[in-house]
């Protein structure tokens, strides 16, 4: 009897430090946070890509970013592991080396609560970009794009690359 081989593990990008350089309210339920820092890999962004963010605990302005070990992240033992959440970056500005992430404010979740109090100088961790490319044929005559409020940043990245 042959034992099926497990598929090869995808090589995930390690967590790197980033810092908040601007925070703007986009209305009652959205906050735009602009990050700078170790943003290698964002030179070519694709629609609906995602990142993993390490979110600081309430009362904290930073997270401990793990070291990159051979089998994945090695977390510091003197602090609890921070919450991790997945987001679609809204924009990357290569000239300024900044990344915009828009957060839906929806209550008590770790990322929503952090975004409500986000401040310039806060330090987070980021891994990515990742995800599979969304196949887009600009020659299509019609598009149907759907999502809830939390999908608006990802939808925006798709609309940005479609013809007017």
């Amino acid at each position: 009897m042959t034992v099926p081989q497990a598929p090869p593990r995808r090589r995930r990008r390690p967590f790197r430090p980033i810092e908040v350089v601007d925070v703007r309210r986009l209305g009652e339920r959205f906050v735009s946070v602009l990050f700078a820092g170790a943003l290698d890999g964002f030179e070519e962004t694709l629609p609906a890509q995602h990142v993993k963010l390490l979110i600081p605990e309430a009362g904290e302005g930073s997270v401990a970013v793990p070291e990159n070990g051979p089998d994945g992240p090695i977390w510091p033992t003197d602090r609890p592991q921070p919450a991790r959440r997945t987001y679609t970056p809204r924009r990357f500005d290569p000239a300024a080396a900044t990344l915009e992430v828009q957060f839906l404010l929806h209550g008590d979740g770790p990322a929503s609560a952090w975004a409500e109090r986000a401040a310039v100088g806060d330090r987070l961790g980021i891994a990515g970009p990742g995800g599979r490319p969304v196949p887009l044929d600009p020659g299509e005559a019609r598009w149907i794009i759907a999502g809830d409020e939390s999908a608006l940043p990802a939808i925006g990245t798709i609309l940005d690359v479609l013809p007017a």
Side-chain angles (χ1 to χ4, degrees), residues 32-154:
S32 169
V33 179
L34 197 63
F35 295 100
L39 295 172
D40 44 315
F42 285 94
E43 293 77 23
E44 285 189 44
T45 55
L46 301 170
Q49 279 186 314
H50 69 264
V51 295
K52 297 281 184 186
L53 294 176
L54 300 177
I55 308 296
E57 296 282 330
E60 297 286 325
S62 68
V63 295
V65 176
E67 291 182 37
N68 189 32
D71 296 319
I74 300 171
W75 297 94
T77 57
D78 61 336
R79 293 175 76 175
Q81 288 187 26
R84 290 167 269 212
R85 295 295 184 266
T86 304
Y87 279 87
T88 298
R90 185 62 184 92
R91 278 184 198 82
F92 176 69
D93 180 344
T98 57
L99 182 73
E100 178 187 7
V101 178
Q102 295 174 351
F103 294 82
L104 172 65
L105 304 177
H106 58 81
D108 292 335
S112 178
W114 173 80
E116 188 80 56
R117 66 180 187 278
V120 171
D122 284 356
R123 294 181 306 279
L124 282 71
I126 190 170
R132 293 181 178 87
V134 174
L136 296 175
D137 180 357
E140 289 292 328
R142 295 180 188 205
W143 289 87
I144 298 173
I145 302 171
D148 64 8
E149 287 177 293
S150 67
L152 290 177

